[in-house]
């Protein structure tokens, strides 16, 4: 936690910490405390008076079918993104790891979508699925499916899941590939000598050994889908049609900045913070376990 | 160049752990002192207190007539060689050596003169433009030495500087360091856990155990007159044999608990009847031709070429392993051998382990 | 692989290549669309091969802007993105380096309090405390400023945490040797610790540059003045242009321009990027 030998100085460490602490307090701790406080306030329509109402906002929140729907959407969205992007990445990583020649080149070709902003990823797929000009919508029409994410909630959800997964594949690919390359060759060779086919080797040896990576990525992907995908939603469906792609982060924004329901939005922020803290604890637990490895 | 004095130096950590229990040591100018002991005995802590890397809880450290307790390491006029060398990995050899001098604001040509001189002494001239990761272990060790030399300090501090080298290089560097220290005549404090290194390098040794100095003396003093059973077994390889017994009537011999008896070279009538621990070094036990002495039942014979080590148990004592060291060869196939202590028998108090 | 099964190797290559094709396809389509006149896109036969309007389209978005699509010159937005990404990357690295240095190399009252105050922010992404943070920035008069764009995103503890982890792996003896060599804390920091942190700084720079460049929600909130728009949010403004259908060819050209800088950074600095990615998640 600290060096055995430390420098002695009365004021220097505080001076060094000052910028970080100042920014942290002003832009993190104070707003977070504000969110907590506001989540217990109700403001009238004209912003003239406020009333402290304890947990009323939370009660309202969880009684609100729209919020519950957003919650459900978020869960569906997050786990779909995690599942799609992780399975695609795992398949690609296993295949790239098999091809001794070209692994590095493949890596370069697969990692760059990480650099694409979520909002831009959304726009790319939004364009390709655009019912009027999009090539994929055109292809789907050709096979008899009338794609329209402006009208169909399922189409819209599929669109944002694809866009969000596409961007995340490169991240998962890198970690899976690193995990695969860390598996001792001798284990796989031993399994081969024991007569296990490549397919069997994957499910009985490689996949179990990858489970720490898989679990870690699951948490990271869920966190990503919960919080980092605001841009994808906002730049494409804007939560629609009819709230079909309204996820929690988007609802905080739309209720707060468009609906101007400060108390309700703050209460939603607090719920999100609780979720983040929960996920972070899970992740730390995992890191502790990893240390024991 | 200077004298170094430790007066009642103690170290108590904030958590209450008493690491050093009051050490007194007077080092004369140019002397080479080795602090030796098992790991955790406090030898490194003591060295680091002299360096100024650990605070001093009580007592005084005096370098060249100046109490340095409150001084920063850089102001104590010392130089230190670390176990892992602690070379700055991003600096060239030259800059590693010059860094401390630059920090003191020394003139550029004086720095250059000193670095080149040290490099000459240590044969580092061709390596001055290399970085530490381009050097071998022995070369890094020499750069670490060079960094200490250029400062021309009053005291050299060495913290197990050879323990990261392989056995052959260790012996070579041991000689090199000792020769260098003689040549420069700089007072030195050297920490090691290796008793051979300690014996071969030291002018005087400090054997430490549990934060205390068990004995301070020249290698020969420690070998010939160990003050405690701890020193007796720590110094010398293989270790001294310790046997329980009682001093016989008239103090001329010790009756061992195993039943055998060992004569004392100098009679100790005042100890008659007292239970003692008797110590005798493996090299001071020799086989007898006439069948006198004790029976050693052999478990293992190690042929080292020049020497032979016999390991076994004395008749009547299944517990203590006894080692005998012979010059030359030993005819194989024998199950037991008669041995006697020729000279140099040490007596220690059974309770305290102190010499009597 | 362990045994020799050529057909499996061929299949592996094919699957990876298929994956790459699927990954690259959106970019190809985007690029193609950005080189055609709008009529080619709108007439229903989607082109698969680049057209002849590359220079015109890109000159339009970079230069005069897409005024009729509600946009502003992309060149300005790119500059804003660059300023924001660099401020965030450099600012974050600077303050977290010195904060981590203080926490690891000094012992002082309230050290652990400071530590936890900083590290609790690991748990508070900007999205979840968006309203009150916006209020703070508004009250400080930082709306429509570069400071307002970057400063609130600088504080998060990830970089501090990374440097702390790295400093803890620096051998103790280096600091001790430096002290014996007469280097005070600041000299040690400048002469020893900073040079040793070079690769970590570079790796983190890549990650943070991309993080900053790709910010979306925050610039959306704090910029109402078009001259502070960043390119990523600017695209959204162009697709949502209310009065008419989006000018897709120009939107796609802008999208290409928005992607190029971070993608170049990732591909060129691939090694550092991977290192940074793995270490920030440790």
């Amino acid at each position: 936690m600290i060096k055995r030998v430390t420098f002695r100085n009365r004021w220097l460490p505080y001076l060094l910490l000052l910028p970080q602490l100042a920014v942290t307090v002003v832009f993190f701790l104070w707003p977070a405390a504000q969110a907590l406080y506001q989540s217990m306030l109700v403001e009238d329509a004209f912003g003239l008076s406020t009333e402290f109402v304890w947990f009323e906002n939370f009660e309202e929140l969880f009684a609100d079918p729209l919020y519950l729907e957003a919650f459900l959407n978020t869960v569906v969205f997050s786990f779909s993104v995690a599942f799609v992007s992780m399975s695609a990445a795992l398949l690609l990583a296993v295949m790239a790891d098999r091809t001794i020649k070209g692994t590095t080149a493949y890596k370069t070709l697969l990692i760059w979508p990480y650099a694409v902003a979520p909002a831009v990823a959304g726009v790319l797929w939004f364009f390709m699925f655009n019912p009027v000009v999009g090539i994929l919508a055109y292809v789907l029409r050709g096979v008899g499916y009338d794609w329209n994410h402006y009208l169909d909630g399922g189409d819209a959800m599929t669109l944002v899941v694809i866009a969000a997964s596409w961007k995340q594949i490169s991240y998962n690919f890198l970690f899976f590939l690193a995990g695969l390359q860390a598996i001792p060759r001798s284990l796989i060779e031993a399994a081969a000598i024991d007569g296990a086919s490549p397919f069997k080797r994957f499910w009985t040896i490689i996949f179990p050994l990858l489970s720490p990576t898989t679990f870690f990525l699951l948490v990271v992907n869920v966190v990503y889908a919960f919080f980092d995908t605001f841009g994808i939603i906002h730049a494409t469906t804007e939560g629609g049609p009819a709230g079909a792609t309204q996820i929690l982060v988007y609802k905080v924004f739309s209720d707060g900045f468009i609906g101007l329901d400060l108390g309700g939005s703050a209460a939603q922020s607090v719920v999100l913070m609780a979720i983040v803290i929960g996920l972070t604890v899970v992740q730390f637990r995992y890191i502790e376990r990893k240390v024991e490895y | 160049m200077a004298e170094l004095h430790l007066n009642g130096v103690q170290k108590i950590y904030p958590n209450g752990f008493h690491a050093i229990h009051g050490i007194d040591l007077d080092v004369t100018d140019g002397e080479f002192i080795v602090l030796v002991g098992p790991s955790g005995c406090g030898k490194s802590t003591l060295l680091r207190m002299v360096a100024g890397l650990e605070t001093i809880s009580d007592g005084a450290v005096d370098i060249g007539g100046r109490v340095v307790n409150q001084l920063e390491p850089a102001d104590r006029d010392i130089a230190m060689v670390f176990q892992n060398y602690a070379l700055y990995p991003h600096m060239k050899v030259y800059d590693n050596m010059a860094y401390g001098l630059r920090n003191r604001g020394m003139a550029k040509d004086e720095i250059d003169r000193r670095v080149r001189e040290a490099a000459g002494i240590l044969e580092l001239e061709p390596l001055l433009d290399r970085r530490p990761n381009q050097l071998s272990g022995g070369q890094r060790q020499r750069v670490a030495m060079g960094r200490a030399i250029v400062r021309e300090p009053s005291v050299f501090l060495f913290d197990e500087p050879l323990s990261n080298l392989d056995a052959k290089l260790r012996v070579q560097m041991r000689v090199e360091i000792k020769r260098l220290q003689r040549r420069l005549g700089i007072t030195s404090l050297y920490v090691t856990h290796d008793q051979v290194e300690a014996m071969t390098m030291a002018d005087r040794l400090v054997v430490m155990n549990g934060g205390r100095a068990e004995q301070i003396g020249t290698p020969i003093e420690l070998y010939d007159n160990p003050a405690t059973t701890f020193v007796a077994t720590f110094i010398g390889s293989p270790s001294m044999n310790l046997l329980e017994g009682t001093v016989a009537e008239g103090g001329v011999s010790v009756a061992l608990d195993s039943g055998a008896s060992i004569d004392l070279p100098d009679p100790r009538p005042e100890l008659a009847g007292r239970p003692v621990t008797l110590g005798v070094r493996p090299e001071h036990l020799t086989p007898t031709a006439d069948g006198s002495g004790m029976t050693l039942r052999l478990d293992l014979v190690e042929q080292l070429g020049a020497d032979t080590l016999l390991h076994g148990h004395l008749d009547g004592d299944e517990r203590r392993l006894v080692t005998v060291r012979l010059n030359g060869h030993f005819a194989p196939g024998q199950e037991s051998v008669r041995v006697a202590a020729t000279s140099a028998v040490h007596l220690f108090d059974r309770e305290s382990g102190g010499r009597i | 692989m362990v045994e020799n099964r050529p057909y499996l190797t061929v299949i592996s290559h094919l699957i990876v290549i298929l994956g790459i094709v699927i990954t690259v396809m959106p970019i190809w389509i985007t690029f193609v669309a950005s080189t055609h006149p709008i009529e080619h896109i709108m007439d229903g036969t989607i082109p698969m091969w680049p057209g002849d309007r590359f220079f015109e389209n890109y000159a339009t978005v970079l230069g005069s802007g897409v005024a009729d699509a509600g946009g502003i010159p992309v060149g300005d937005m790119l500059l804003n993105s660059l300023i924001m990404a660099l401020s965030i990357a450099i600012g974050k690295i600077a303050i977290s380096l010195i904060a981590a240095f203080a926490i690891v190399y000094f012992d002082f009252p309230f050290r652990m309090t400071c530590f936890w105050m900083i590290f609790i922010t690991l748990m508070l992404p900007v999205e979840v405390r968006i309203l009150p943070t916006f209020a703070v920035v508004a009250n400080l008069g930082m709306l429509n400023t570069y400071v307002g764009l970057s400063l609130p995103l600088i504080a998060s503890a990830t970089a501090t945490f990374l440097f702390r982890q790295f400093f803890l792996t620096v051998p103790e003896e280096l600091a001790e040797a430096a002290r014996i060599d007469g280097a005070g804390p600041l000299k040690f920091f400048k002469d020893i610790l900073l040079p040793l942190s070079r690769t970590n700084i570079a790796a983190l720079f890549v990650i943070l540059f991309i993080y900053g460049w790709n910010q979306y929600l925050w610039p959306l909130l704090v910029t109402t003045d078009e001259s502070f728009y960043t390119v990523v949010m600017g695209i959204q403004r162009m697709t949502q242009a209310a009065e008419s259908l989006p000018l897709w060819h120009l939107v796609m050209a802008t999208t290409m321009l928005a992607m190029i800088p971070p993608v170049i950074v990732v591909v060129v600095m691939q090694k550092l990027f991977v290192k940074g990615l793995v270490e920030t998640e440790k």
Side-chain angles (χ1 to χ4, degrees):
Chain A
M1 292 297 273
I2 188 168
K3 293 287 178 180
R4 187 173 53 191
V5 171
T6 49
F7 291 104
R8 269 168 287 178
N9 201 305
R10 197 177 293 276
W11 48 268
L12 186 61
Y14 297 105
L15 199 68
L16 293 171
L17 274 168
L18 187 66
Q20 170 102 54
L21 284 178
V23 185
T24 302
V25 169
V26 173
F27 296 111
F28 278 71
L29 300 180
W30 170 250
Q34 279 294 98
L36 264 177
Y37 178 64
Q38 278 171 0
S39 71
M40 297 180 191
L41 293 183
V42 167
E43 199 167 307
D44 70 17
F46 305 102
L48 295 175
S49 67
T50 50
E51 196 191 341
F52 193 79
V53 294
W54 288 105
F55 297 104
E56 215 171 88
N57 284 324
F58 292 94
E59 284 162 26
E60 265 176 42
L61 205 57
F62 285 104
D64 180 0
L66 285 177
Y67 186 71
L68 295 177
E69 192 194 328
F71 218 115
L72 187 66
N73 286 341
T74 311
V75 172
V76 170
F77 175 70
S78 308
F79 284 92
S80 307
V81 170
F83 179 76
V84 171
S85 64
M86 283 173 68
S87 36
L90 181 59
L91 176 71
L92 291 175
V94 169
M95 294 305 152
D97 189 42
R98 284 187 64 88
T99 62
I100 299 148
K101 279 179 209 158
T103 307
T104 327
Y106 288 149
K107 201 159 130 186
T108 310
L109 286 168
L110 278 169
I111 61 167
W112 58 268
Y114 176 86
V116 177
V120 173
V123 169
L124 291 180
W125 289 93
F126 186 63
F127 174 65
M128 295 210 301
F129 276 114
N130 186 291
V132 183
V133 301
I135 182 162
L136 292 176
Y138 176 81
V139 170
L140 286 170
R141 256 200 314 279
V143 298
Y145 184 82
D146 195 11
W147 175 279
N148 193 337
H149 54 246
Y150 287 107
L151 300 174
D152 187 300
D155 288 358
M157 181 57 101
T158 310
L159 168 70
V160 289
V161 166
I162 290 177
S165 307
W166 174 78
K167 185 189 146 36
Q168 195 65 3
I169 284 177
S170 49
Y171 183 93
N172 296 338
F173 172 79
L174 276 177
F175 276 85
F176 273 132
L177 190 63
L180 286 168
Q181 290 174 340
I183 294 176
R185 226 70 236 96
S186 56
L187 274 178
I188 295 162
E189 287 164 358
I193 290 167
D194 283 342
S197 67
F199 188 74
K200 188 152 193 190
R201 280 206 300 271
F202 177 77
W203 287 113
T204 55
I205 312 282
I206 297 174
F207 192 69
L209 285 174
L210 270 184
S211 65
T213 311
T214 311
F215 179 72
F216 163 78
L217 284 177
L218 183 67
V219 176
V220 169
N221 278 278
V222 169
V223 171
Y224 158 79
F226 257 75
F227 303 108
D228 292 343
T229 48
F230 173 85
I232 294 179
I233 306 278
H234 186 256
T236 58
T237 64
E238 296 192 291
T245 54
Q246 174 104 281
I247 61 169
L248 291 175
V249 173
Y250 191 79
K251 198 166 159 57
V252 172
F253 163 81
S254 62
D255 286 5
F257 282 87
I258 299 165
L260 295 176
D261 172 13
L262 294 185
S265 174
Q268 293 182 33
S269 289
V270 172
V271 172
L272 278 180
M273 277 189 235
I275 294 172
V276 185
I277 289 169
L279 287 170
T280 314
V281 169
V282 171
Q283 207 171 340
F284 272 146
R285 271 258 160 95
Y286 158 76
I287 289 170
E288 272 168 32
R289 251 195 10 202
K290 190 168 71 170
V291 169
E292 284 172 31
Y293 257 73
Chain B
M1 270 159 270
E3 295 187 347
L4 167 69
H5 299 283
L6 308 186
N7 298 319
V9 169
Q10 295 202 38
K11 177 73 188 180
I12 303 166
Y13 281 102
N15 64 11
F17 177 63
H18 207 149
I20 304 284
H21 292 268
I23 300 253
D24 294 293
L25 176 66
D26 296 299
V27 186
T28 59
D29 189 13
E31 198 175 15
F32 196 107
I33 297 285
V34 174
L35 304 176
V36 66
S39 57
C41 70
K43 56 192 190 300
S44 276
T45 308
L46 186 61
L47 187 83
R48 295 165 57 79
M49 286 161 78
V50 175
L53 298 172
E54 299 273 0
T55 55
I56 297 162
S57 309
D58 197 14
V61 172
D62 175 311
I63 297 173
R66 195 166 57 128
V67 173
V68 297
N69 285 29
Q70 299 304 323
L71 292 183
E72 275 290 302
D75 303 329
R76 293 188 177 197
D77 203 12
I78 48 122
M80 184 155 167
V81 178
F82 292 87
Q83 179 171 3
N84 63 2
Y85 320 134
L87 300 178
Y88 308 122
H90 57 295
M91 292 186 192
K92 290 175 178 167
V93 167
Y94 185 99
D95 299 310
N96 259 290
M97 299 211 272
Y99 185 66
L101 305 181
R102 287 191 189 131
N103 286 341
R104 291 159 146 196
M106 190 179 281
K108 240 187 150 125
D109 34 331
E110 171 66 5
I111 293 177
D112 193 61
R113 189 192 64 74
R114 287 200 189 186
V115 171
R116 302 226 172 259
E117 188 184 312
I121 294 172
L122 293 162
E123 294 164 23
L124 287 171
E125 287 117 329
L127 307 176
L128 284 175
D129 280 331
R130 301 247 189 112
R131 284 179 207 280
N133 60 9
Q134 298 166 313
L135 303 177
S136 70
Q139 289 169 333
R140 284 181 211 184
Q141 167 63 50
R142 283 217 291 277
V143 176
M145 292 285 302
R147 184 167 67 180
I149 291 173
V150 292
R151 309 195 45 167
E152 299 177 3
S154 296
V155 178
F156 272 149
L157 304 173
F158 298 89
D159 190 4
E160 309 222 14
L162 302 182
S163 56
N164 281 359
L165 300 178
D166 64 51
K168 198 175 159 205
L169 206 52
R170 204 178 310 162
V171 173
Q172 185 191 329
M173 285 308 295
R174 192 164 90 194
V175 177
E176 230 173 277
I177 290 179
K178 180 70 184 163
R179 193 186 299 146
L180 192 66
Q181 190 267 342
R182 284 252 176 80
R183 172 170 165 189
L184 301 172
I186 294 178
T187 312
S188 298
L189 211 51
Y190 187 107
V191 163
T192 182
H193 63 269
D194 180 341
Q195 61 96 14
V196 177
E197 208 170 289
M199 293 289 279
T200 51
M201 298 181 81
D203 292 328
R204 278 194 300 151
L205 285 161
V206 179
V207 180
M208 292 189 64
N209 184 28
R212 290 188 172 81
E214 291 265 332
Q215 190 173 6
I216 302 175
T218 65
I220 295 306
E221 279 168 14
L222 264 55
Y223 179 82
D224 286 345
N225 291 304
T228 62
T229 49
F230 179 82
V231 177
T233 50
F234 195 80
I235 299 294
S237 174
S239 283
M240 181 185 282
N241 297 302
L242 294 180
L243 303 164
E244 263 86 53
T246 310
V247 180
E249 205 62 42
V252 293
S253 67
V254 173
L256 298 181
D257 293 358
S258 60
S261 170
I262 291 183
D263 290 339
L264 294 177
D266 305 306
R268 305 284 296 274
E270 77 281 8
L271 297 177
R274 181 162 167 183
V276 293
T277 301
L278 178 141
V280 55
R281 295 197 182 276
E283 50 272 39
H284 298 145
L285 282 173
T286 44
T288 53
D290 54 0
S292 64
M294 311 166 285
T295 306
L296 183 70
R297 286 184 290 100
L298 296 177
D299 293 337
L300 178 69
V301 175
E302 291 178 301
Q303 307 267 15
L304 303 176
D307 305 323
T308 304
L309 299 181
L310 311 177
H311 303 283
H313 292 91
L314 289 180
D315 248 351
D317 184 352
E318 292 306 316
R319 209 166 48 84
R320 291 259 184 200
L321 193 70
V322 171
T323 303
V324 174
R325 180 174 180 164
L326 307 177
N327 287 323
H329 302 300
F330 182 75
Q334 306 179 46
E335 289 199 345
S336 69
V337 63
R338 300 285 288 180
V339 292
T342 47
S343 60
V345 173
H346 310 271
L347 295 182
F348 302 98
D349 185 81
R350 258 204 213 183
E351 301 298 311
S352 69
R355 185 180 189 84
I356 46 181
Chain C
M1 254 300 134
V2 181
E3 73 279 82
N4 196 15
R5 298 192 194 197
Y7 69 94
L8 264 182
T9 310
V10 171
I11 290 174
S12 303
H13 279 283
L14 284 180
I15 289 179
V16 179
I17 290 167
L18 187 70
I20 291 171
V21 167
I22 292 174
T23 316
V24 176
M25 188 178 64
I27 309 298
W28 178 249
I29 303 284
T30 303
F31 176 69
V32 169
S34 73
T35 59
H36 280 273
I38 184 73
E39 299 77 35
H40 284 188
I41 300 168
M42 299 306 286
D43 70 4
T45 54
I46 291 106
M48 287 301 293
W49 211 246
D52 56 359
R53 295 293 186 88
F54 177 83
F55 292 104
E56 289 95 318
N57 288 348
Y58 282 84
T60 307
V61 294
L62 280 172
S64 59
V66 207
D68 38 343
I72 52 160
V74 176
D76 292 359
M77 295 200 286
L78 285 172
L79 183 67
N80 288 338
S81 285
L82 186 71
I83 291 173
M84 182 178 175
L86 285 179
S87 313
I88 289 175
I90 294 170
K92 210 163 169 173
I93 286 172
I95 69 169
S96 49
L97 265 173
I98 57 175
F101 175 57
I103 281 183
V104 173
Y105 280 97
F106 288 88
D107 195 8
F108 52 93
F110 303 112
R111 192 177 75 90
M112 286 315 282
T113 314
C114 295
F115 178 84
W116 283 113
M117 269 171 75
I118 293 170
F119 288 104
I120 196 154
T121 62
L122 276 175
M123 302 182 192
L124 297 172
V126 72
E127 280 79 6
V128 305
R129 58 194 157 79
I130 194 80
L131 254 175
T133 313
F134 176 77
V136 168
V137 171
N139 287 337
L140 292 174
M142 291 183 186
L143 298 181
N144 292 315
T145 62
Y146 290 122
V147 179
L149 267 178
S150 39
L151 196 57
L153 299 173
I154 279 179
S156 102
T158 41
T160 317
F161 197 70
L162 171 72
F163 284 125
R164 170 182 171 271
Q165 300 299 85
F166 172 68
F167 291 167
L168 287 176
T169 66
V170 172
E172 302 261 3
E173 287 82 357
L174 283 186
E176 296 174 0
R179 273 184 79 181
I180 291 176
D181 273 342
L186 291 178
K187 212 162 171 32
F188 168 72
F189 181 69
K190 179 172 86 57
D191 289 346
I192 316 285
L193 212 50
L194 270 191
L196 288 179
S197 311
R198 257 185 328 214
T199 34
N200 285 56
I201 291 173
L204 202 59
F205 181 86
V206 178
I207 299 290
L208 291 176
F209 181 85
I210 292 165
Y211 166 84
W213 184 276
N214 288 348
Q215 279 304 313
Y216 180 75
L217 173 57
W218 189 245
L220 202 65
L221 295 180
V222 297
T223 60
T224 47
D225 179 346
E226 291 188 349
S227 61
F228 285 98
Y229 278 12
T230 63
V231 67
V232 171
M233 60 166 291
I235 294 169
Q236 188 268 347
R237 290 281 143 107
M238 290 163 76
T239 59
Q240 309 288 342
E243 68 275 19
S244 63
L245 281 168
L247 294 171
W248 282 115
H249 61 309
L250 300 182
V251 173
M252 290 298 120
T254 312
T255 307
M256 287 304 292
L257 290 170
M259 280 188 292
I260 285 169
V263 168
I264 286 179
V265 168
V266 162
V267 171
V268 171
M269 300 174 83
Q270 188 180 337
K271 272 218 175 91
L272 285 171
F273 161 70
V274 173
K275 178 181 159 68
L277 205 59
V278 172
E279 298 207 347
T280 44
E281 292 296 352
K282 247 193 239 165

